[in-house]
């Protein structure tokens, strides 16, 4: 195996049986090649939490990374741009543009990762001190940018952060045994999707798993999201403890649980079935004029199907499979500005949370390798 990590003209090539690649200084690092038994670990020290300069941009450029005993990529100590861990003052309006953990996708990349299952707690058994559930894991808020692709295969959860996660671009496919995406801080974390293409399929090898699971809020402003929960557990394609806001983009989510969807900036419809629907069958959604608005092939069994699109207007819709109308109904399960449900207002979002016009490219200055490597 051979993985190249570049910081300007300096290239390191690792060709050993197992290794941990330690990044201990701020900067942009380009990762190329194959690491078949190892981990990339970012740790800028305990003082990094409040240091605005403690920022790492990890550029995956046709990289192939496998770790079977822990996360393949982990951000430990970097700058935390938000720093609000208080449930009483938390809101869905977060700005992660200055986050210290940044993943930039270029080319076609594959990451195969596991997790560290042990959780250490304090003497009272309340405080969560240490765990790494995801194949890509960050203890601080993290951004994902770029025009490239990422195929993420996870032995437990896929992409996790302890605080916030913002996806601005990329073609991301996650196959996970548990939650595809999880942001972990109860009542605080925000998962924000501004652009890109995100496909999540949960195998349920651990017995459960949401497609996207936020312990705080889920905010979708743009891009394409197709999320399938575990086919045999009471989990959701999109799950959020504090509420889901769909303000833009195309969303298709299937599972067996419906979480609260707040009135956002875009219409949505929910089909609910009394009987479990078999996965791997093409389903077509039609309007009153028999016009097809959606054609999708859920991989897992489901009893809830959520659909939202900029083209979705108020009206009655039906689902069909093999020219047979399915028994599910969207009646009373619609929402959004054109559907007249609820009285919740759309949250105000800062400019950086709008769908990026450049396809999710990192801000100017990101992605340029620095001069030093440690």
């Amino acid at each position: 195996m051979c993985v190249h990590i570049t910081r300007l003209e300096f290239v390191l090539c690792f060709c050993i049986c197992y290794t941990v690649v330690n990044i201990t200084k701020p900067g942009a690092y380009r990762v190329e090649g194959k690491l078949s038994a190892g981990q990339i670990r970012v740790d800028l020290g305990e003082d990094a939490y409040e240091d605005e300069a403690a920022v790492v941009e990890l550029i995956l450029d046709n990289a192939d990374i496998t770790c079977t005993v822990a996360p393949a990529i982990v951000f430990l100590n970097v700058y935390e741009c938000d720093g609000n861990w208080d449930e009483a003052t938390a809101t869905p309006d977060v700005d992660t543009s200055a986050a210290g953990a940044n993943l930039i996708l270029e080319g076609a990349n594959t990451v195969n990762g596991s997790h560290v299952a042990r959780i250490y707690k304090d003497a009272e058994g309340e405080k969560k001190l240490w765990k790494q559930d995801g194949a890509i894991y960050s203890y601080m808020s993290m951004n994902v940018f770029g025009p490239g692709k990422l195929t993420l295969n996870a032995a437990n959860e896929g992409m996790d952060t302890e605080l916030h996660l913002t996806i601005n671009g990329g073609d991301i496919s996650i196959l996970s045994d548990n939650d595809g995406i999880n942001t972990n801080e109860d009542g605080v974390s925000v998962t924000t999707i501004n652009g890109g293409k995100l496909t999540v399929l949960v195998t349920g090898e651990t017995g459960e798993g949401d497609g996207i699971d936020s312990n705080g809020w889920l905010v979708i402003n743009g891009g394409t999201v197709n999320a399938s929960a575990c086919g045999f557990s009471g989990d959701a394609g999109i799950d959020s403890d504090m509420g889901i806001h769909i303000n833009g983009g195309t969303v298709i989510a299937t599972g067996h649980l419906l979480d609260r969807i707040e009135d956002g900036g875009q219409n949505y419809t929910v089909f609910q079935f009394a009987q479990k629907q078999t996965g791997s069958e093409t389903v077509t959604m039609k309007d009153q004029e028999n016009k097809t608005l959606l054609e999708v092939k859920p991989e897992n069994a489901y009893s809830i199907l959520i659909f939202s699109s900029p083209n979705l207007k108020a009206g009655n819709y039906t689902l069909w499979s093999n020219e047979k109308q399915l028994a599910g109904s969207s009646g009373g399960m619609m929402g959004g500005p054109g559907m007249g449900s609820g009285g919740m207002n759309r949250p105000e979002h800062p400019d950086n949370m709008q769908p990026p016009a450049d396809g999710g490219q990192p801000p100017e200055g990101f992605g340029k390798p620095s001069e030093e490597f440690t």
Side-chain angles (χ1 to χ4, degrees), residues 212-230:
I212 301 173
D213 181 3
S214 174
N215 288 11
W217 288 270
L218 172 59
V219 180
I220 302 174
N221 296 316
T224 299
V225 177
N226 191 335
S228 298
C230 173

Side-chain angles (χ1 to χ4, degrees), residues 16 52 180 196 219 224 242 248 253 321 327 336 349:
I16 55 181
E52 295 182 3
V219 180
T224 299
M242 302 297 290
S321 179
H349 298 290

Side-chain angles (χ1 to χ4, degrees), residues 19 46 79 88 91 127-128 137-138 154 169 173 189 201 233 250 261 269 289 305 314 322 326 331 335 354 360:
T19 190
E46 294 182 358
Y79 175 57
T91 75
K127 187 176 181 182
K128 180 175 61 181
Y137 198 88
S138 178
S173 296
S189 289
L201 177 60
S233 62
T250 298
I261 302 177
T269 184
E289 299 176 351
L305 186 150
N322 296 321
L326 301 178
Q354 300 306 314

Side-chain angles (χ1 to χ4, degrees), residues 267 288 312-317 334 338-339:
N267 291 330
Q288 292 169 279
L312 185 63
K313 298 180 174 19
N316 295 317
Y317 298 91
M334 293 183 174
M339 293 190 172

Side-chain angles (χ1 to χ4, degrees), residues 176-196:
S176 60
D177 289 353
N178 204 300
D179 298 338
I181 286 177
N182 194 356
T183 47
N184 288 297
E185 189 64 18
D186 293 343
V188 176
S189 289
V190 182
T191 300
T192 305
I193 301 171
N194 291 324

Side-chain angles (χ1 to χ4, degrees), residues 4 7 19 22 86 97 102 110 155 176 192 249 272 341 373:
H4 296 257
R7 209 174 177 197
T19 190
N22 289 294
D86 185 359
S97 57
N102 297 277
T110 300
S176 60
T192 305
Q272 192 163 8
S341 68
F373 175 84

